[in-house]
Each structure stands twice: as structure tokens, then as C-alpha cells.
Amino acid sequence: MAKEGADMTEETEHMIERNVGKKEAENVESSVDAKEMRAVILAGFGGLNKLRVTKKAMPEPQEGEVKIRVKACGLNFLDLTVRQGTIDSPPKPPLVPGFECCGIVESVGENTQGFEIGDRVMAFVNYNAWAEVVCTAVDYVYKMPDEMSFAEAAAFSLNFVAAYVMLFELANLQEGMSVLVHSAGGAVGQAVAQLCSTVPDVTVFGIASCFKHAAIRDSVTHLFDRNVDYIQEVKKISPEGVDIVLDCLCGENTGKGLGLLKPLGTYILYGASNMVTGETKSFFSFAKSWWQVEKVNPIKLYEENKVIAGFSLLNLLFKQGRCSLVRTVMGKLLSLYEQKKIRPVVDSLWALEEVKEAMQRIHDRGNIGKLILDVEKSPTPLMASDSTETSEAGEEEEEPEGDNDSKERMPFIH
């Protein structure tokens, strides 16, 4: 009996040790899981099949950085050029795309001032925005107004700052001027229209696809179909032309825009979406767009008293270090928001797993306002079956490029 009791005691101790070991292993595994996050990975430059949602190591804030638990991210046409590899000097894939996000401060690095845990913030990021957690320098982070939703915040920073700098810093918009803006139904176009409305007697000529006209007609003074000869239509109303042209298309529109300028007028190029035609990079589209760009003669600009400029907000922030200017602009914009003079237009909300479908909507120029990746949104069933989780390097079996054409797109329309 004593021997049997000793055996039972030994067996019990062995079971306890085994259970303790199991719990420790579970705790370690749980700890590992806690340090991972979901993120959209671009495995390589190309089509939609290069995008995957996967687990990735969670970043921690370095000195002067803020760690943000992301609630929503902005999706821009610029992100299409990143995916295709046509953007200037992109990082080597695999990479996490995205340049703007918003969320809640989870922690701060050493010597980081101005933000506390729990603050609701929006931020610019030099890539890596499409993830559950982001770390970025405090210079690129801004507190959200209490009444601003996360969807609005994700639609605010990049588009409104770009629109404001172009209109007021570069073109010196003043009372009584006229502005022509391409892609008037897009997020930047709508930001331009709203900011113009804050200045008395500004005439806005909007160019947009015909199917968007009913939705945006009230936001501009005159609206024209992008497929008609808008030059003649504008001149019927304003024979002298316009004071400011904002062009995100490039190609043949560059010459047209310069030709429409009044004396002392300003033409600003801030994109080249005409170069994006197919799902992947097209040398033909690139060459055609640049071939159509009218060669700028400085002597002609001098004789005609015209100004030509270019603008890239991301370069201004991350390459040229003008954070203080952007912070000043953001302060003015948030004041306008709180006065209810401006408000971002949100087209639709998409789960991270629906990034392919969201990106296709932008490619098709189907959006009116901003597309948002809602990190907490659950994908629709058809989307969920397509949300392949892979390694960070994107090592998975690629789907044929046309596969998601057959998938149903059912975003939450804001």
C-alpha cells in the first residue's frame, strides 16, 4: 500500500509538472501572439494578387515615436502606383503599404512629448500604415477633434493638407479667383472644392466622370465631363481662362492646363494618374503620358506671365523635412473643421481583407471621396474566403489576376 501510495504521489507530481509546463507553453505562445499584428503585405510589385493580409511582428516605439493602435487607414490613388512599382524610389518588397492612419496612442517612446496613452490621433507614415499597429515620429502625429470619427480622420490628413498647400501656399488663392480641378469627385477634388468655398466669390470648374455629376454637382460652380472638350466649355464661361489649375492626371492635360491659365495664373501638377491604365505597370501608358506632356518653354512662361509648379506632400514631409509647415496647415484645417466649414467625404469602408476590392474601386475611378480601410471591420463572407494569411514574405500560391473580378463587392457605403 505504501508503495502504491508512493507511485500515485509520483504520478500526481508528474501530472502537475506536465500541466505547469503546458500552461507555461500556452503563456509563451499567448505572449508571442500578443506581439503579432495583422497587416497588408505587398509581396512584390504588380497586380492585385501581390497583396495579402498576414501576421507580422508588432513594432515598438523608438525614441521620439508614438505607437498607435490603428482604427482606420486612408487608401489613395498613390497606393496603386506603389503596388505597381511606378512610384519614385519605392522600398524593396515585401512591404506594408499606406501613408496615413488614425487610432489611439498605445505607448510612447523615450523623450516623446505632447501625447499620452489614450489620445485619439491621426498620423502620416512613410509606408507601413495598413496594419493594426503603427509607430511613427511625433512630428507626423496630430490630435483628433473630439467630434471627428476615425473614418473622417483617415480621410482628412493627406487630402486636405495637400489641397490647402496647393491653393494657399503655392497658388495664393484669393477672393474672386477661379480654380479648375481635375478628378473633382475624388478625395482631393472634394477637399479643394470645400476649401474654395471658404473664400468669397471663388469660381470652381470641376472635371469628373459623368456618373459622378449628380453626387458632386453642388460642391462646384461648373461641372464638366472628363470625356468632352472641357477647354472650350470653360472658355465659353470665362474667355480669359482661370487663375489656378490643379492637375493630377498629367499627359495631354498639362498643355491644356497651361493654355487655360490667365496671366499670373498657376498650374500645379500633383499626380500622374493617366500613367495607370491596366492592373500592372504599363510601359506604353508611361511613354504615352510623357510623350503627350507639352515641353515647357521658360521663355514662353516669362512672356505670358504664367507659373508652373509641382507638389508632393510625402516628399515635403519625409524628404524635405517641412513638418512645421504641415503642422501649421493642419492647425488651420482642424479649426475649419471645428467651425463646420469643411468635412471629409468618405466613399466607403473596407476590411483589411478587402483591400484588393477597395483598390480595384479606385482603379476604376468609381469612388466619390475617400476609401477607408477599417481595421476592425469584418470582411463579407466572399471576401473572407479570399483573405489568405501568409508569411511576411508573402510566400503563398498566387491567384490568377482575374480571380477577384468575380467576387462580390459589398462595402459599407458611408
Side-chain angles (χ1 to χ4, degrees):
M1 287 290 293
K3 182 175 182 302
E4 183 179 346
D7 289 343
M8 289 181 65
T9 301
E10 185 177 341
E11 183 178 353
T12 302
E13 289 176 351
H14 178 69
M15 290 176 64
I16 291 173
E17 287 176 359
R18 189 169 58 187
N19 287 336
V20 169
K22 183 178 179 182
K23 287 182 179 179
E24 287 178 349
E26 288 175 352
N27 289 338
V28 170
E29 185 178 347
S30 176
S31 176
V32 171
D33 289 343
K35 293 182 179 179
E36 287 188 333
M37 64 177 184
R38 289 159 57 240
V40 176
I41 299 293
L42 180 65
F45 299 125
L48 294 169
N49 63 322
K50 300 296 184 181
L51 293 164
R52 291 290 184 274
V53 175
T54 186
K55 292 290 182 66
K56 189 179 188 295
M58 185 182 297
E60 294 299 330
Q62 303 301 307
E63 183 174 0
E65 289 188 340
V66 173
K67 179 180 179 182
I68 303 169
R69 176 64 61 171
V70 176
K71 297 294 185 180
C73 322
L75 202 159
N76 302 285
F77 200 92
L78 184 65
D79 297 309
L80 272 69
T81 67
V82 172
R83 193 199 74 216
Q84 294 186 351
T86 56
I87 194 172
D88 183 45
S89 303
K92 184 179 178 181
L95 61 91
V96 177
F99 298 104
E100 59 181 335
C101 63
C102 63
I104 298 173
V105 174
E106 197 165 83
S107 64
V108 297
E110 293 184 7
N111 300 320
T112 301
Q113 298 179 348
F115 294 94
E116 297 179 352
I117 294 173
D119 283 347
R120 300 167 73 249
V121 296
M122 48 189 166
F124 292 110
V125 191
N126 195 12
Y127 294 93
N128 297 309
W130 294 355
E132 289 182 315
V133 174
V134 160
C135 290
T136 190
V138 69
D139 288 340
Y140 310 129
V141 184
Y142 316 88
K143 291 183 180 178
M144 293 168 48
D146 292 338
E147 62 272 23
M148 181 179 279
S149 69
F150 287 118
E152 286 184 326
F156 191 84
S157 14
L158 194 148
N159 303 120
F160 273 93
V161 170
Y164 188 98
V165 173
M166 288 190 291
L167 287 172
F168 297 102
E169 299 292 333
L170 289 177
N172 192 26
L173 178 65
Q174 297 180 31
E175 181 177 351
M177 282 187 168
S178 54
V179 179
L180 182 140
V181 57
H182 287 280
S183 299
V188 174
Q190 285 296 287
V192 166
Q194 291 186 32
L195 288 172
C196 286
S197 71
T198 66
V199 180
D201 196 29
V202 170
T203 301
V204 180
F205 296 92
I207 313 296
S209 300
C210 193
F211 73 91
K212 298 183 180 182
H213 285 199
I216 67 172
R217 189 176 302 280
D218 292 340
S219 66
V220 297
T221 316
H222 305 285
L223 189 58
F224 306 112
D225 185 358
R226 61 178 296 182
N227 296 313
V228 304
D229 185 1
Y230 61 85
I231 300 294
Q232 295 305 316
E233 295 300 318
V234 171
K235 286 189 172 180
K236 288 178 183 177
I237 299 167
S238 178
E240 291 185 349
V242 298
D243 296 292
I244 301 169
V245 173
L246 303 180
D247 181 12
C248 59
L249 305 178
C250 197
E252 62 181 353
N253 293 285
T254 300
K256 291 179 178 180
L258 285 170
L260 265 179
L261 285 182
K262 294 179 181 180
L264 303 182
T266 303
Y267 164 92
I268 303 174
L269 180 70
Y270 69 100
S273 64
N274 277 346
M275 294 184 187
V276 178
T277 52
E279 187 178 332
T280 57
K281 180 168 60 177
S282 167
F283 176 77
F284 175 76
S285 298
F286 183 87
K288 178 183 177 182
S289 185
W290 279 109
W291 180 260
Q292 290 176 332
V293 173
E294 182 175 304
K295 304 303 180 287
V296 177
N297 184 342
I299 300 299
K300 188 175 180 181
L301 292 176
Y302 152 72
E303 292 174 344
E304 296 182 353
N305 285 304
K306 294 182 179 180
V307 178
I308 183 169
F311 180 68
S312 164
L313 176 56
L314 297 179
N315 285 347
L316 190 72
L317 276 170
F318 299 119
K319 293 184 178 180
Q320 296 159 353
R322 299 301 297 273
C323 302
S324 58
L325 169 64
V326 173
R327 186 166 295 279
T328 299
V329 168
M330 183 66 83
K332 294 176 180 178
L333 288 169
L334 291 176
S335 176
L336 289 172
Y337 176 87
E338 290 170 341
Q339 296 172 45
K340 303 188 184 307
K341 292 184 178 180
I342 60 173
R343 183 179 181 181
V345 178
V346 175
D347 175 81
S348 49
L349 307 180
W350 305 75
L352 288 182
E353 291 79 5
E354 298 168 338
V355 64
K356 297 179 185 179
E357 289 74 17
M359 194 165 274
Q360 185 63 51
R361 181 169 172 82
I362 285 189
H363 184 278
D364 295 340
R365 279 72 167 178
N367 58 297
I368 297 173
K370 188 86 160 192
L371 276 78
I372 303 298
L373 293 179
D374 184 343
V375 176
E376 297 182 341
K377 181 180 182 294
S378 298
T380 60
L382 283 176
M383 307 292 188
S385 66
D386 186 45
S387 59
T388 310
E389 290 203 353
T390 68
S391 69
E392 183 177 342
E395 295 171 356
E396 76 288 317
E397 182 179 351
E398 293 188 352
E399 303 168 18
E401 302 234 347
D403 270 10
N404 44 285
D405 288 344
S406 62
K407 296 195 187 309
E408 190 174 347
R409 298 175 191 158
M410 299 181 351
F412 169 74
I413 302 298
H414 188 84

